[in-house]
Amino acid sequence: MAHDSSSEDGERPTKAQRSASDADVSAAVASASAASAEWAATLENCIPAIVALRVSSVRPSELDGAGVSWGTGFVVDAEKGFLLTNRHVVGTGPVRILATFDQHEELDIDLVYRDPLHDFAVLRFDPSALFLTRKQVALPLAPAELRVGAEVRVIGNDDGEKLQILQGTIARVDRNAPDYSDGVGDENTFYAGCGSNCSGGASGSPVVNIRGEVVAILAGGSNSSSSDFFLPLDRVHYAVEHLMRQEPVPRGTVRVRFLFETWAQLKRLGFPESRRDLLLKENLGLRGLLVVERALESSVAQSAVAAGDVLLGLRIHESASGAPGGGAKKEVPVQTFTDLESALDAAVGRSVKLLLVRGGDAIDVGPVLIEDLFALSPSGILECGSGVFQDIPYSTARASQLPLGSGVLAAECGFVFGPKVPDQSIITDVAGRPINSVRELAELLPTIEEGAYFEVRYIVKGKNATRKQCKMLKMQRLFAHLALCHERQTDRGVLKWERVEVPFVESASPPQQPSPQAGSNGGALDGRRTRKAPTLARIIFRTPCELATDIIMDKQESSGSKTVERAGVGFLERPGVVVTDRHAVPQPLGDVEVTFNQEVTVQARVLFIHPEHNLVLLQVPPLPEELHTVAWLHAKPDDAGTAHTHLEPGTSLQFVGLDACGHEVVRRVSVASLSLPPPQAAMPSGPPRFAERNCEILDLAEPLPTRWSGLLLHDDGSIAAFYALFACQMPNGTRGTRSGGIPREALLQLMQVDDACKTVPALGVELEEITVAALRHERGFDRLQATVPVEGEANGAAAAQAPPTLSEWKPSRPVVLCVARVEKGGPADGTLREGDVLVRAAGSYVRDGVLALSSRASPGRPLALQVFRSGAVASLELVPSADGSDGAERVAIWHGLVCVHTPRALRRAGIVPKSILEAACSDGAGDFPGVYVVRVCYGAPGQSTGMSARNFLLEVDGRPIRCLDDLPPAPATPSPGALGADVRVRVVDHIGREGMQTLRPDPVFWPLIELHRQSDGSWTRLLPSGTAGAESARDQP
């Protein structure tokens, strides 16, 4: 530490010294106060020119995925309404931008210019639409004022705050462009460095000096330090001046990336000291020169320049050919990036020779054509389902060392490409054809037949371009709607996107299913069996993530995955019908493939999803007789003449199934227990999904490995249970998995389901088990004296019977059935109560569990019940309902909100709001009224305004919404590509809290789309009438 000299001698400072010191402090304080006042005045003048930008990327792009993000912009011309921001804020794909000005005024603004190389963009707004914010406030651009040591302020929308002001000091102005982790960076420009410690949302903020001049734009920062990167304004000022004059902005390139290197590095590269001294004599402040890093793959410059070449200047030819003697030439010295870009931008379309120093020798190379950067930048995209493809951008070609025009970039692969091809890959070949542009891909994809597999070759971005990978993908037209989007410039000079649906080419005949051949499945399992095992099958289910209406998602799927995939096992229940579980096929909407014997795969459709049990029926094409080993569900008498009717702990069974890879496995197992799954104790954080109920589940004493599934068989070959996987909803809303056996009695109920009858009886209650001990000692069953009639018995209820006794009852297990939950509006509502213990059904004791009880119920036929309630017995009558297949049969995507009719799981959980239930009582329609928002799509109008999923829609612009038919189509817009007027949406959440939200319709990218399930199980996709390509897509049998 440095000390005052008087302190070193141990003496106190004199009064004069103290006075001088105090004067210095006062002067410093006064100076700081004056500076603070000057800064305060500067900031007061600047703030009205700062705007917060909310950018809705309606489709993914090279720079980012679809979604809503925040950034900052600032006014540079108040009269014409020009704003500046970063290119990465607005992205390179279609966007909708909302600007919030100083006085909280909001305006939709347009993009007028996106630089093809550097990180800046120019936006435009209508100044006449502002009535509170101070007009005629614009920030002047001062590129020359960016200096080391300058004190600056960064004014912007920092980390989601509408306005924050951060201070800093310029540390350097000659750093090379930063290399970002996504590989999409800047090039051929300096960046300035500063420690202002900005965060998300500040991108695009102006960096102003104390005079209120903008000296740079905040463009990025370091994740490992507080350093921020500022983009200098040389090319920004150049572009803005051209736009103000309503002139095109020429931007040129020779497809070479240069770096700035210091004299020390140049010496190591062999740059002569004599030449260095000559350059320093002319410019003493010169700190280095530009050096070739690399040229773009397959460019003309690639064969002319080499890494390490030092650039001295350019010899520009008046003609494009650059032939010797062919026109005038002009030599331009190049010492900085500003010199380089000024020369290239002024000579677009001409040829140039590069004046270099290589290994100490002066050379010139070329000629090289100065190309138009805009011509090398893609201006269109191809949508394939939720996937987006575009021509290879310049920055991607540079990062991956690929030639431009050698494939297409999969900004996001979506449903068809996504499961096997990573996002940001370069697609080079599809179905055996080279693909060099999105136009070629748009011509090829519509010709691929529904359900057909096709080959795709691709390169992973940033990896070795010589190593292509190959995958086989499946065309699913229902989820692969095609559209070409193109960006064009309007008469006003703004950039607008147009979108045209691309229809599929109809095939002459539907695709043929492969003919299954007999395999080795079946045969004796051990010496006591001669019957073949039922035909087992491996099931694969896939659906787009945004259409996962009835699926319990895991964390990865909930955080942006585009495809939900499930796998499981099924068995042939009867010819053409396969039984599987809801873990494998969780909903009707999706692609289902069934593979037999690991030899043949066929397409399947969902025939029926059991509304209460973990069972699904699939319809498959006819199979050859050799594969018609159907399930043997009925019990067969053994040698003693006794049929297998009950499973007890210790019962020995044979497991025949498939492992996680689809290989057949056989194992001897025994029953450990048989019990009802307990009711869900706590409401999960996510929306309730299907949970198994009213079915005793079998657990094994010898747990099988994870993901094994199949059949549990008696020794005679008859089925004891289907050992299935169960998807469980955890308290945090994510997916868990368990295994268990579904007894034969539940499978027998499915045998009644066919094309003519697709319903099962339902009592409208969830049952749980209580022990006989609890029944006797806690509920007082032993003190039962007489039957006490209940209200309603006089209206035709069954006559009271003698009081039951446990000696007569004799449950098969020491448990009885108790009502845990009564479904609101169901057949038991008003008849049964929570806590009722079921004693008799149809005159017989309920001894053998809930499945035996269900077998006595028939839809529409009164069922006499006797229950133990509040210390007495009551006789009741209940009319079971007929429940159809579970899962959404109709889906609407309205302004990006994925809507379905109120799911059955919500009704059973008792969380349907009162207003929806009241509508149900007054509505005679077959569908349960109420429209439920399952998901909000990324980049949709609903996400832009903060609408949430897991809400019910009540009204739209005052119009009641009771079913999907009530959803209004997107309104007409005043001009093509424009947004519609705001729509008011009244919503209500699970617990009845109502709210009013708004959204801005976007009929170009978010028209009303509906998916309908037909009677044969197929799905049809419908677009609103009048939409280009509005013909429906239908999945084939």
Side-chain angles (χ1 to χ4, degrees):
M1 177 181 288
H3 296 279
D4 185 83
S5 59
S6 61
S7 299
E8 288 180 359
D9 296 335
E11 298 177 0
R12 297 170 63 89
T14 65
K15 182 177 181 180
Q17 288 173 327
R18 290 198 305 269
S19 299
S21 178
D22 292 343
D24 291 341
V25 172
S26 299
V29 172
S31 176
S33 299
S36 298
E38 188 174 356
W39 267 116
T42 297
L43 295 174
E44 184 179 359
N45 291 328
C46 292
I47 286 174
I50 310 300
V51 298
L53 302 177
R54 186 178 70 198
V55 181
S56 299
S57 300
V58 299
R59 295 293 184 270
S61 68
E62 172 202 15
L63 297 180
D64 210 349
V68 178
S69 59
W70 289 88
T72 301
F74 58 97
V75 180
V76 294
D77 187 321
E79 183 179 345
K80 293 184 173 65
F82 283 124
L83 290 166
L84 270 176
T85 188
N86 288 133
R87 184 178 74 147
H88 79 259
V89 169
V90 299
T92 57
V95 294
R96 304 299 191 184
I97 308 172
L98 184 74
T100 303
F101 287 78
D102 177 45
Q103 298 299 316
H104 303 281
E105 293 182 275
E106 294 183 352
L107 291 181
D108 290 313
I109 60 177
D110 296 312
L111 179 67
V112 296
Y113 177 82
R114 181 194 300 110
D115 196 77
L117 191 62
H118 298 326
D119 194 8
F120 73 94
V122 182
L123 312 173
R124 194 168 191 177
F125 67 97
D126 181 5
S128 65
L130 296 174
F131 58 93
L132 292 176
T133 302
R134 283 169 52 192
K135 302 177 183 179
Q136 306 304 322
V137 176
L139 301 184
L141 303 181
E145 298 302 316
L146 182 63
R147 299 188 180 95
V148 173
E151 188 178 358
V152 295
R153 298 290 187 271
V154 181
I155 315 171
N157 166 41
D158 187 79
D159 200 22
E161 297 291 334
K162 182 180 179 296
L163 186 67
Q164 279 197 3
I165 302 169
L166 301 174
Q167 66 179 10
T169 302
I170 302 297
R172 58 181 301 189
V173 296
D174 59 356
R175 82 177 314 279
N176 284 304
D179 290 319
Y180 297 114
S181 58
D182 59 5
V184 182
D186 218 328
E187 71 171 33
N188 295 347
T189 181
F190 287 120
Y191 266 70
C194 178
S196 52
N197 198 25
C198 298
S199 56
S203 293
S205 298
V207 181
V208 301
N209 60 19
I210 200 167
R211 293 188 296 275
E213 299 167 328
V214 182
V215 299
I217 302 175
L218 174 64
S222 171
N223 290 330
S224 58
S225 67
S226 61
S227 299
D228 293 308
F229 307 136
F230 298 159
L231 176 67
L233 298 181
D234 173 70
R235 289 299 94 187
V236 177
H237 188 262
Y238 162 81
V240 169
E241 284 189 329
H242 278 73
L243 293 172
M244 288 181 177
R245 297 194 298 265
Q246 298 183 346
E247 297 174 352
V249 184
R251 297 288 278 119
T253 182
V254 290
R255 302 198 194 187
V256 178
R257 181 176 183 176
F258 295 91
L259 297 177
F260 175 77
E261 300 290 358
T262 62
W263 292 119
Q265 177 64 15
L266 293 176
K267 182 178 180 180
R268 289 189 283 270
L269 292 173
F271 192 81
E273 293 185 3
S274 58
R275 190 177 289 274
R276 178 201 64 188
D277 295 339
L278 182 61
L279 291 172
L280 287 175
K281 185 177 180 180
E282 297 174 354
N283 183 359
L284 188 60
L286 192 60
R287 294 291 179 263
L289 293 173
L290 305 185
V291 176
V292 173
E293 184 191 33
R294 64 176 179 269
L296 205 63
E297 184 71 19
S298 299
S299 63
V300 175
Q302 187 180 31
S303 59
V305 302
D309 287 350
V310 182
L311 180 65
L312 293 178
L314 303 173
R315 184 179 297 127
I316 300 175
H317 298 257
E318 291 299 327
S319 64
S321 63
K329 306 177 184 64
K330 179 177 68 172
E331 288 197 6
V332 179
V334 174
Q335 297 178 346
T336 66
F337 286 120
T338 301
D339 297 338
L340 173 66
E341 292 202 291
S342 297
L344 294 178
D345 291 347
V348 174
R350 304 179 192 175
S351 62
V352 63
K353 285 195 173 184
L354 281 68
L355 309 181
L356 308 170
V357 172
R358 179 181 297 170
D361 298 327
I363 61 172
D364 58 33
V365 298
V368 177
L369 180 65
I370 301 176
E371 298 179 81
D372 183 1
L373 265 171
F374 289 102
L376 304 179
S377 303
S379 60
I381 61 174
L382 172 67
E383 299 177 25
C384 179
S386 53
V388 170
F389 304 85
Q390 63 184 99
D391 293 336
I392 297 180
Y394 185 90
S395 56
T396 298
R398 182 195 66 211
S400 301
Q401 203 60 17
L402 287 169
L404 288 171
S406 61
V408 297
L409 172 69
E412 201 162 272
C413 287
F415 179 74
V416 174
F417 286 77
K420 297 181 179 179
V421 180
D423 291 343
Q424 298 292 315
S425 294
I426 311 298
I427 310 296
T428 60
D429 301 84
V430 175
R433 284 176 48 183
I435 298 296
N436 298 316
S437 67
V438 292
R439 289 286 179 184
E440 295 179 5
L441 187 60
E443 293 172 358
L444 175 61
L445 288 180
T447 65
I448 300 177
E449 293 186 346
E450 164 67 18
Y453 279 85
F454 59 98
E455 181 184 82
V456 170
R457 296 183 181 273
Y458 63 94
I459 300 167
V460 178
K461 181 180 175 181
K463 304 295 183 181
N464 189 341
T466 62
R467 298 188 62 182
K468 293 184 180 180
Q469 300 188 40
C470 179
K471 300 292 183 183
M472 297 301 298
L473 306 180
K474 182 181 181 181
M475 174 54 69
Q476 288 291 290
R477 293 186 173 187
L478 182 68
F479 308 121
H481 54 279
L482 301 173
L484 273 173
C485 308
H486 183 76
E487 190 178 46
R488 65 176 182 87
Q489 194 168 39
T490 67
D491 296 338
R492 294 179 53 245
V494 301
L495 300 175
K496 292 288 186 181
W497 284 83
E498 297 175 341
R499 183 175 183 270
V500 178
E501 296 274 338
V502 179
F504 282 97
V505 176
E506 295 297 331
S507 56
S509 59
Q512 298 296 317
Q513 294 279 2
S515 299
Q517 301 297 321
S520 58
N521 187 33
L525 295 175
D526 53 45
R528 292 171 294 177
R529 287 195 54 220
T530 57
R531 182 180 178 84
K532 286 185 177 181
T535 300
L536 297 176
R538 180 166 170 77
I539 314 294
I540 299 294
F541 171 89
R542 292 173 55 238
T543 196
C545 208
E546 63 268 20
L547 296 178
T549 58
D550 301 280
I551 299 178
I552 306 172
M553 314 273 276
D554 57 30
K555 289 184 178 180
Q556 180 180 357
E557 293 165 342
S558 301
S559 60
S561 173
K562 289 299 177 184
T563 303
V564 176
E565 184 169 316
R566 297 287 184 267
V569 176
F571 63 92
L572 196 64
E573 187 267 330
R574 56 181 178 266
V577 177
V578 169
V579 177
T580 187
D581 54 54
R582 293 186 62 152
H583 177 276
V585 182
Q587 66 178 37
L589 180 55
D591 174 58
V592 185
E593 288 185 338
V594 181
T595 301
F596 296 93
N597 298 340
Q598 293 187 313
E599 295 176 358
V600 64
T601 298
V602 297
Q603 194 73 23
R605 285 180 179 168
V606 175
L607 177 64
F608 186 81
I609 297 181
H610 202 292
E612 291 194 340
H613 303 328
N614 184 34
L615 294 171
V616 178
L617 288 183
L618 301 177
Q619 188 175 25
V620 297
L623 301 174
E625 291 297 327
E626 293 85 350
L627 282 179
H628 279 185
T629 309
V630 298
W632 190 10
L633 287 172
H634 293 288
K636 180 180 178 181
D638 57 20
D639 295 337
T642 303
H644 304 292
T645 56
H646 301 296
L647 295 173
E648 299 176 351
T651 302
S652 178
L653 301 171
Q654 193 87 3
F655 171 77
V656 181
L658 302 179
D659 62 14
C661 298
H663 302 139
E664 184 173 320
V665 288
V666 179
R667 183 169 294 186
R668 200 75 190 175
V669 295
S670 60
V671 176
S673 64
L674 195 68
S675 60
L676 276 179
Q680 197 165 32
M683 184 64 62
S685 59
R689 302 298 193 197
F690 164 80
E692 178 66 56
R693 70 176 195 172
N694 298 344
C695 179
E696 291 90 354
I697 303 301
L698 180 150
D699 288 317
L700 298 178
E702 304 83 9
L704 296 174
T706 305
R707 306 292 180 181
W708 281 28
S709 184
L711 293 170
L712 297 172
L713 306 176
H714 291 291
D715 290 339
D716 62 359
S718 64
I719 292 179
F722 174 37
Y723 194 75
L725 295 175
F726 293 76
C728 309
Q729 194 166 18
M730 309 302 288
N732 63 357
T734 59
R735 179 169 62 102
T737 304
R738 60 155 294 189
S739 300
I742 303 173
R744 176 183 61 241
E745 288 79 5
L747 300 175
L748 287 170
Q749 192 181 66
L750 276 183
M751 295 183 67
Q752 311 304 318
V753 177
D754 53 27
D755 290 333
C757 178
K758 295 183 179 180
T759 61
V760 292
L763 302 178
V765 295
E766 182 173 4
L767 301 174
E768 62 180 338
E769 293 176 341
I770 62 172
T771 64
V772 172
L775 174 68
R776 297 175 63 184
H777 302 293
E778 295 178 11
R779 305 201 179 209
F781 187 81
D782 286 344
R783 297 188 297 272
L784 183 64
Q785 297 297 323
T787 300
V788 179
V790 297
E791 183 179 352
E793 203 171 314
N795 298 324
Q801 297 175 321
T805 62
L806 283 175
S807 59
E808 296 177 349
W809 195 342
K810 296 179 181 179
S812 59
R813 294 183 292 122
V815 293
V816 294
L817 299 179
C818 178
V819 177
R821 183 181 291 121
V822 178
E823 183 180 327
K824 189 71 173 176
D829 190 14
T831 302
L832 291 175
R833 302 175 189 171
E834 284 79 0
D836 285 352
V837 176
L838 301 185
V839 181
R840 289 188 177 100
S844 302
Y845 279 105
V846 180
R847 294 189 177 101
D848 300 326
V850 66
L851 292 175
L853 170 65
S854 300
S855 66
R856 303 174 193 174
S858 297
R861 294 183 180 180
L863 177 65
L865 295 175
Q866 189 181 64
V867 301
F868 179 63
R869 172 188 297 172
S870 302
V873 171
S875 295
L876 313 169
E877 188 175 87
L878 183 150
V879 181
S881 64
D883 276 7
S885 180
D886 201 13
E889 308 245 332
R890 185 178 172 191
V891 180
I893 304 177
W894 183 72
H895 302 304
L897 306 180
V898 182
C899 302
V900 296
H901 286 137
T902 304
R904 183 182 273 123
L906 267 64
R907 286 180 276 161
R908 287 181 171 169
I911 59 173
V912 179
K914 181 179 178 181
S915 54
I916 301 295
L917 290 174
E918 289 174 349
C921 297
S922 61
D923 197 303
D927 276 326
F928 191 91
V931 173
Y932 183 69
V933 180
V934 179
R935 183 163 286 100
V936 180
C937 297
Y938 291 112
Q943 189 198 24
S944 178
T945 54
M947 293 195 68
S948 302
R950 293 175 277 177
N951 282 327
F952 295 86
L953 303 184
L954 292 178
E955 293 179 354
V956 174
D957 285 339
R959 175 183 175 184
I961 302 297
R962 294 191 176 185
C963 63
L964 294 178
D965 290 330
D966 294 334
L967 293 175
T973 57
S975 60
L979 297 176
D982 286 325
V983 172
R984 292 174 290 109
V985 183
R986 189 162 68 93
V987 299
V988 60
D989 65 11
H990 294 158
I991 59 178
R993 296 174 298 190
E994 294 189 8
M996 180 67 74
Q997 297 177 300
T998 63
L999 55 81
R1000 182 71 56 87
D1002 185 351
V1004 176
F1005 290 98
W1006 297 102
L1008 176 62
I1009 297 174
E1010 293 193 55
L1011 298 167
H1012 291 254
R1013 189 181 184 208
Q1014 308 300 310
S1015 59
D1016 62 355
S1018 65
W1019 285 82
T1020 300
R1021 176 178 176 269
L1022 301 175
L1023 289 172
S1025 59
T1027 304
E1031 58 270 11
S1032 62
R1034 182 184 174 97
D1035 61 333
Q1036 299 294 330

